[in-house]
């Protein structure tokens, strides 16, 4: 009789118990396999959309364009608390020649009714942040795959809720990080895969976007986004900068975020903006903000590599996501895009990245044109929606899985705790429970 | 080692991944096992248990799965 099963021995279990204060029920088993998140193919993807404001409308129109290029997508239902928004989306579906979607406009939780009543393969949400997790959970609990705009979650508990629900129901929960499909982000990923930058050791990313007018607008994100700046001092929107560089570092597929330290500076920008743009006595001038204008977070990975993530949305400045990836042979840096590779670039001088593009463009950018008008943030948004649909149609693992969504989104909560505690290191949970060591690396897809 | 709320959850988790369930231990069993198994750890010379003694302890807390059988391997 062998004592070894499922990779653990009786002796190992007893030895582990000796060091543990309390060990609840356990089962010895291997970590989840890479195939876990590849669901059976869905030739015709039936979608229910929740939240069709600015970004949701972009996705709806892109999904209709994906269908136009290659039939196999259907928008069956649309849910929004503002009936006119849902009707606008319905009109786009009609114009594209689709069957009329059912509208769900009976308030904040009407997505629950949609998830329960509709026959759908995918529920896609682009609502304000606090609804992302409830919508995804309702979708998965009703047997539907879920896709959510960024960030997937805003607390560690919410991250676990997504992971546990996806594991229990066997459904995808994809975070729609469009910047992973950006022209330059994808070229850098391609450079990394080809080994041009050598071994990647360090990366920098961020969201540096003057959002003062957006946060104070009387519409769209102005209705909800500013509220987070009232109450949270954290890296509130980490995934645009972090998602692409995490892919270059194989986070969740060979490495993982280990811990983070974070600092925020003073909060001035929103107060100053309110004073300069609203009349004496306006309620906006009395608002107080907790969010430091610049947050700097530093992540150490399990393999000892380093990443910085910046959040900077309250001060006058040009846009940047930094997008820096540095390896043993060279470096890429965005804004403006430049490359330096030893032996190829002139010593100590940047090359304009455009001079590298012809040779190193990512095959997806070379091969897949977006049909018609380019919406939202241009082709990257289209490619993101296109690849999600391709993965679902062909039963492939999605390029962003629930573990990625949780790890990237966890930065907000961990940075908040670190900032509040003199930048003390905060450990990332291993949402993959060891799976990161064996999950397959992301491929360079070609079409 | 993974933690679950119930045996149903263990089965569902394993089914979702095509993994055979391993031996599950309840919190109560683990507690009872710990009290006996580690109870001698602080003795200056902790006694080394014979396979029969170990088996008696495991069986005593209901751990009868072959995983827990301390009979030396016959290679
Ligand atoms: N990836 C990107 O580049 C990008 C860009 C912009 C926004 N976003 C993300 O997209 C999401 C939406 O942002 P937006 O700019 O479109 O905001 P928005 O305010 O323009 O749109 C939100 C929509 O959701 C609706 N809504 C609110 N609560 C709802 C509920 N409970 N049920 C159904 N509908 C509800 C609103 O009526 C509105 O139509 C956010 O998570 C944001 O972070 C991502």
């Amino acid at each position: 009789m062998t004592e070894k099963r499922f990779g653990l021995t009786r002796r190992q279990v007893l030895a582990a118990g000796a060091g543990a204060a309390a060990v609840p029920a356990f089962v010895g088993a291997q970590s989840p396999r890479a195939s876990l998140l590849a669901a059976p193919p869905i030739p015709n993807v039936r979608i229910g959309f929740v939240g069709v404001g600015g970004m949701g409308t972009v996705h709806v129109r892109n999904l209709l364009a994906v269908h136009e290029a290659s039939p196999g997508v259907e928008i069956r239902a649309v849910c929004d608390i503002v009936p006119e928004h849902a009707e606008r989306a319905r009109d786009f579906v009609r114009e594209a020649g689709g069957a009329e979607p059912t509208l769900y406009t009976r308030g904040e939780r009407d997505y629950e009714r949609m998830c329960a009543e509709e026959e759908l393969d995918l529920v896609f949400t682009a609502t304000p942040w606090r609804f992302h997790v409830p919508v995804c959970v309702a979708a998965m609990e009703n047997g539907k795959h879920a896709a959510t705009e960024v960030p997937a979650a805003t607390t560690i508990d919410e991250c676990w809720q997504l992971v546990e629900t996806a594991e229990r129901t066997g459904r995808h929960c994809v975070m729609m990080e469009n910047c992973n499909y950006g022209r330059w982000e994808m070229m850098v990923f391609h450079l990394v895969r080809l080994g041009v930058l050598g071994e990647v050791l360090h990366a920098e990313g961020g969201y540096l976007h003057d959002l003062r007018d957006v946060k104070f607008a009387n519409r769209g994100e102005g209705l909800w986004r500013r509220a987070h700046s009232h109450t949270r001092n954290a890296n509130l929107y980490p995934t645009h900068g972090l998602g692409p560089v995490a892919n270059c570092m194989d986070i969740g597929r060979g490495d993982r975020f280990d811990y983070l330290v974070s600092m925020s500076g003073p909060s001035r920008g929103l107060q100053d903006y309110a004073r300069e743009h609203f009349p004496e006595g306006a309620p906006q001038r009395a608002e107080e903000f907790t969010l430091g204008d610049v947050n700097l977070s530093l992540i150490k990975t399990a393999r000892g590599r380093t990443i910085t993530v910046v959040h900077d949305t309250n001060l006058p400045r040009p846009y940047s996501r930094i997008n820096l990836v540095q390896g043993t042979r060279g470096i890429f840096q965005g804004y403006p895009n430049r490359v330096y590779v030893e032996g190829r670039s002139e010593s100590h001088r940047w090359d304009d990245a455009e001079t590298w593009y012809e040779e190193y463009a990512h095959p997806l950018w070379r091969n897949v044109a977006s049909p018609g008008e380019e919406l939202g943030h241009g082709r990257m948004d289209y490619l993101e929606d296109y690849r999600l649909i391709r993965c679902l149609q062909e039963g492939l693992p999605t390029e962003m899985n629930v573990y990625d969504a949780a790890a990237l989104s966890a930065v907000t909560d961990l940075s908040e705790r670190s900032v509040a505690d003199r930048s003390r290191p905060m450990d990332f949970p291993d949402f993959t429970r060891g799976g990161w060591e064996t999950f397959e690396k992301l491929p360079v897809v070609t079409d | 080692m993974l933690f679950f709320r119930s045996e149903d959850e263990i089965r569902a988790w394993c089914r979702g991944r095509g993994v055979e369930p391993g031996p599950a231990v309840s919190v109560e069993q683990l507690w009872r096992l710990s009290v006996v198994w580690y109870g001698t750890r602080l003795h200056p010379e902790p006694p080394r248990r014979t396979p029969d003694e170990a088996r008696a302890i495991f069986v005593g807390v209901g751990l009868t799965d072959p995983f827990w059988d301390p009979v030396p391997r016959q290679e």
Side-chain angles (χ1 to χ4, degrees), chain A residues 106-126:
Chain A
R106 292 191 205 152
E108 248 181 37
R109 293 177 63 170
D110 212 22
Y111 60 83
E112 291 175 354
R113 194 168 58 95
M114 183 190 90
C115 292
E117 287 181 0
E118 292 284 329
E119 276 195 26
L120 303 168
D121 303 298
L122 173 70
V123 171
F124 196 138
T125 183

Side-chain angles (χ1 to χ4, degrees), chain A residues 87-276:
Chain A
E87 287 157 14
R88 179 179 56 195
R90 177 198 59 201
D91 293 345
F92 281 124
V93 177
R94 260 199 211 139
E95 276 168 32
E100 183 141 329
T102 314
L103 302 191
Y104 289 80
T105 58
R106 292 191 205 152
E108 248 181 37
R109 293 177 63 170
D110 212 22
Y111 60 83
E112 291 175 354
R113 194 168 58 95
M114 183 190 90
C115 292
E117 287 181 0
E118 292 284 329
E119 276 195 26
L120 303 168
D121 303 298
L122 173 70
V123 171
F124 196 138
T125 183
T127 44
W129 301 341
R130 73 189 170 98
F131 293 108
H132 291 178
V133 170
V135 173
C136 290
V137 167
M140 291 186 277
E141 294 289 3
N142 283 283
K144 283 104 175 148
H145 298 302
T148 173
E149 254 305 337
V150 297
T154 59
T155 65
I156 298 291
D157 280 354
E158 280 193 336
C159 289
W160 276 118
Q161 219 184 325
L162 291 180
V163 168
E164 288 176 356
T165 311
E167 290 188 337
R168 183 161 41 74
T169 58
R171 299 290 114 177
H172 292 299
C173 181
V174 181
M175 183 173 74
M176 300 302 292
E177 183 37 79
N178 50 348
C179 299
N180 286 3
Y181 295 84
R183 180 177 191 242
W184 296 107
E185 282 87 346
M186 290 207 97
M187 184 183 106
V188 184
F189 180 74
H190 195 208
L191 285 175
V192 169
R193 278 289 181 267
L194 293 172
V196 176
L197 301 183
E199 184 194 353
V200 175
L201 299 180
H202 174 73
E204 298 178 14
Y207 187 64
L208 299 83
H209 189 181
D210 176 2
L211 289 179
R212 291 170 303 161
D213 54 344
V214 171
K215 290 191 189 186
F216 278 106
N218 274 330
R219 47 190 280 280
E221 297 194 357
L223 303 180
W224 54 270
R225 193 165 182 153
R226 186 164 85 256
H228 295 271
S229 311
H230 288 142
T231 54
R232 303 193 76 178
N233 191 4
N235 203 303
L236 285 184
Y237 204 57
T239 70
H240 285 338
L242 192 53
V245 300
N247 281 353
C248 291
M249 292 178 127
D250 298 317
I251 299 300
R253 299 168 178 80
D255 200 355
R256 72 177 196 88
F257 300 143
D258 185 0
Y259 65 90
L260 156 161
V261 296
S262 187
M263 277 185 204
S264 288
S267 178
R268 301 275 187 274
L270 296 177
Q271 285 89 333
D272 287 355
Y273 185 91
R275 229 184 353 265
E276 287 159 16

